[in-house]
Amino acid sequence: MPCRGGDRLYKEILSEANKMVRNQIQDQKVVDMFENCFGDTLTKTTNYLDDGTVFLVTGDIPAMWLRDSTLQLRPYLLFLGKYEEIDRLVEGVSKRQIQFILQDPYANAFNEGPNGNRWDDDIPLQKPSIWERKYEVDSLCFPFQLAYQFWKYTGKTSVFTDSFKKAAQTVISLWKVEQNHTDFSSYTFQRPGTNELKSDGKGSPVGYTGMTWSGFRPSDDACFYHYLIPSNLFAVRVLEMLSEIFEDVYQDATLQIAAKNLSVEIERGIQQYGLIKNDAGEWIYVYEADGLGNSLLMDDSNMPSLLSLPMLTNHSKADRIYQSTRAFILSEQNPYYYKGRYASGIGSPHTPKGYVWPISLAVEGITASSQEEKWEKIQLICQNDANTKQAHESFDCDNPSNFTREWFSWANAMFCELVLDFCGHPVSCK
């Protein structure tokens, strides 16, 4: 069923959000697109279930991604503690995410119920409740970040149930198994007609690093080398969050230490295998590494990305390594940085060559130091919406009337976050 009281919820919160934006921005196209995108998640994607949880569809695909559903809520976090309806929405999504992790921690996207919907007939065949079973480290990070943000914004601990604790223990155990993927993991993934994960679905060879293995990137594309650096950096921060929760809420010293120790192991691996010197002798992060001496220099539009580190980790915008990495990935040295007639920005191997993602433009703006750069990215997204008042998955930087994903709620949310950030209302509690 759609959001109960949706009309009232939409009007009250949109009115306040619009006021926040109109106080700073006079550009009517920007204001109109913000209003359209801000109402998107509240009125079109929410389905309140009988158990009080919320199923949040990603847009034009009828499934709920653990990653997308967290990021779709980011612009609404600012209103937590002010509107009970928003508290209920975020808490409901959080509890639904925890249920999904306990169903299958290796899955990335789920159905509302055991209806058998799925992207493809993968091997092994996913359960009827699972849309797709691509294992991505970040899919297990985002739900815990959302619960932590809910706690910090509201002061409420209602999301920290026995199920939450069990899910956290499950993920810590899984990440430790995946530190030794070759020897200890039973996970495989094969899709007929593709070669997404090599070695009969086990992935390409890796050595032990202390980092935790990922089969797929947040774009849902297979990793080339399986230690995905931005996801491991995010995992370090999430383990710190869990350590704090175990100590302050559950008062469980054993789990608090377990989370902290694992974060230290992963961080040590990143420092040893996830950094390389550029031509100027500056340290920068690689995108992927295998622990065998190989690494991949690039960045992808999807979060977590190297560009998004200040939004998800303890890295500040001014961090020297981050700034050097940022300079690389926002240049044509990054094989997925495109320049065209209408826009320049980061794309993805997930979409056609020359297609820039509004998500990456929004992240570029949110992580920028100047208001001028933030405004430039707002304008770029608005001017390349193909007159739809929607932020699509990607668009052709030479012909923005060509785009992918007619309705992609995560992209709409990121545009809204950028606009609110420009207006002096950044998302905090990372």
Side-chain angles (χ1 to χ4, degrees):
M1 63 183 292
C3 174
R4 304 185 193 103
D7 289 343
R8 181 174 62 82
L9 175 65
Y10 174 79
K11 289 176 182 177
E12 288 182 7
I13 296 174
L14 182 57
S15 175
E16 181 177 345
N18 265 346
K19 202 174 295 182
M20 294 160 67
V21 171
R22 289 179 184 275
N23 284 341
Q24 300 291 328
I25 295 175
Q26 282 71 52
D27 188 308
Q28 193 57 47
K29 181 173 174 58
V30 172
V31 171
D32 288 347
M33 185 166 170
F34 174 84
E35 180 176 347
N36 186 63
C37 291
F38 192 82
D40 180 71
T41 294
L42 297 182
T43 60
K44 297 180 182 177
T45 68
T46 54
N47 191 6
Y48 284 71
L49 306 180
D50 291 339
D51 63 358
T53 65
V54 178
F55 186 83
L56 202 67
V57 297
T58 185
D60 51 18
I61 300 174
M64 178 172 166
W65 266 255
L66 295 176
R67 169 186 54 257
D68 295 29
S69 57
T70 297
L71 292 165
Q72 285 169 256
L73 294 176
R74 279 180 67 92
Y76 309 101
L77 299 180
L78 302 172
F79 302 91
L80 282 171
K82 300 177 183 178
Y83 292 91
E84 185 59 36
E85 297 95 333
I86 291 294
D87 290 8
R88 186 164 63 93
L89 169 63
V90 175
E91 182 176 354
V93 170
S94 176
K95 289 182 175 179
R96 172 56 46 175
Q97 290 175 334
I98 294 302
Q99 288 183 16
F100 285 152
I101 289 172
L102 291 174
Q103 279 185 37
D104 187 346
Y106 281 103
N108 60 317
F110 297 81
N111 298 317
E112 184 176 323
N115 54 34
N117 291 341
R118 53 186 176 267
W119 181 262
D120 207 338
D121 294 334
D122 298 323
I123 303 170
L125 186 66
Q126 54 269 58
K127 298 175 185 176
S129 60
I130 294 172
W131 175 266
E132 192 171 59
R133 196 175 186 259
K134 288 184 173 182
Y135 174 59
E136 302 158 352
V137 168
D138 71 276
S139 290
L140 296 180
C141 291
F142 278 112
F144 297 115
Q145 184 200 46
L146 181 64
Y148 181 86
Q149 289 171 318
F150 177 82
W151 175 37
K152 292 300 179 179
Y153 270 108
T154 66
K156 298 177 181 178
T157 59
S158 50
V159 292
F160 299 135
T161 61
D162 290 342
S163 293
F164 180 95
K165 186 176 182 180
K166 184 178 179 182
Q169 290 175 282
T170 298
V171 169
I172 290 171
S173 296
L174 186 152
W175 281 349
K176 288 190 71 65
V177 166
E178 294 301 338
Q179 287 180 302
N180 294 277
H181 174 76
T182 303
D183 294 333
F184 299 137
S185 178
S186 62
Y187 176 79
T188 62
F189 180 94
Q190 293 177 281
R191 178 162 288 172
T194 71
N195 187 28
E196 294 202 86
L197 288 189
K198 299 175 182 178
S199 304
D200 298 322
K202 286 286 285 186
S204 57
V206 293
Y208 178 83
T209 64
M211 290 185 283
T212 192
W213 183 94
S214 190
F216 293 85
R217 300 169 179 170
S219 63
D220 298 333
D221 297 315
C223 293
F224 192 79
Y225 302 122
H226 289 281
Y227 296 122
L228 184 56
I229 302 305
S231 292
N232 271 270
L233 284 163
F234 190 20
V236 168
R237 176 63 190 130
V238 165
L239 286 164
E240 292 172 352
M241 293 176 179
L242 288 175
S243 181
E244 183 181 347
I245 292 165
F246 288 142
E247 182 175 24
D248 293 351
V249 179
Y250 292 103
Q251 298 180 333
D252 189 321
T254 301
L255 287 176
Q256 185 267 327
I257 293 170
K260 185 62 178 176
N261 286 346
L262 182 55
S263 74
V264 171
E265 291 173 15
I266 294 174
E267 175 66 32
R268 190 180 297 128
I270 294 167
Q271 295 303 313
Q272 185 173 352
Y273 296 95
L275 289 164
I276 194 170
K277 283 190 175 181
N278 63 15
D279 293 339
E282 301 166 324
W283 288 107
I284 63 173
Y285 285 114
V286 303
Y287 188 69
E288 291 173 353
D290 64 2
L292 299 172
N294 300 302
S295 60
L296 185 61
L297 282 169
M298 59 165 280
D299 201 20
D300 187 274
S301 293
N302 292 267
M303 294 170 64
S305 59
L306 294 174
L307 187 63
S308 69
L309 291 180
M311 300 169 64
L312 303 175
T313 72
N314 287 328
H315 287 70
S316 71
K317 295 178 185 178
D319 179 90
R320 184 176 299 177
I321 296 176
Y322 172 72
Q323 281 298 318
S324 297
T325 305
R326 180 185 179 90
F328 166 79
I329 58 183
L330 294 177
S331 76
E332 290 179 273
Q333 290 180 286
N334 175 7
Y336 298 102
Y337 184 83
Y338 302 120
K339 285 186 174 181
R341 182 180 174 189
Y342 292 96
S344 298
I346 300 174
S348 171
H350 193 70
T351 47
K353 185 177 181 179
Y355 277 55
V356 171
W357 284 51
I359 286 173
S360 65
L361 292 175
V363 170
E364 188 178 347
I366 292 166
T367 57
S369 299
S370 71
Q371 287 292 90
E372 291 76 16
E373 189 175 352
K374 293 177 187 294
W375 181 247
E376 178 189 344
K377 302 312 168 188
I378 291 171
Q379 287 288 298
L380 266 180
I381 296 172
C382 275
Q383 291 165 3
N384 292 285
D385 70 337
N387 297 315
T388 63
K389 297 182 183 179
Q390 297 265 4
H392 303 292
E393 178 188 53
S394 69
F395 63 88
D396 185 342
C397 61
D398 286 316
N399 183 2
S401 62
N402 296 328
F403 58 82
T404 60
R405 299 286 300 270
E406 186 171 350
W407 178 32
F408 191 29
S409 181
W410 172 14
N412 287 335
M414 295 307 300
F415 171 73
C416 292
E417 181 178 350
L418 171 59
V419 172
L420 289 167
D421 182 272
F422 174 81
C423 294
H425 306 285
V427 173
S428 59
C429 306
K430 61 176 182 177

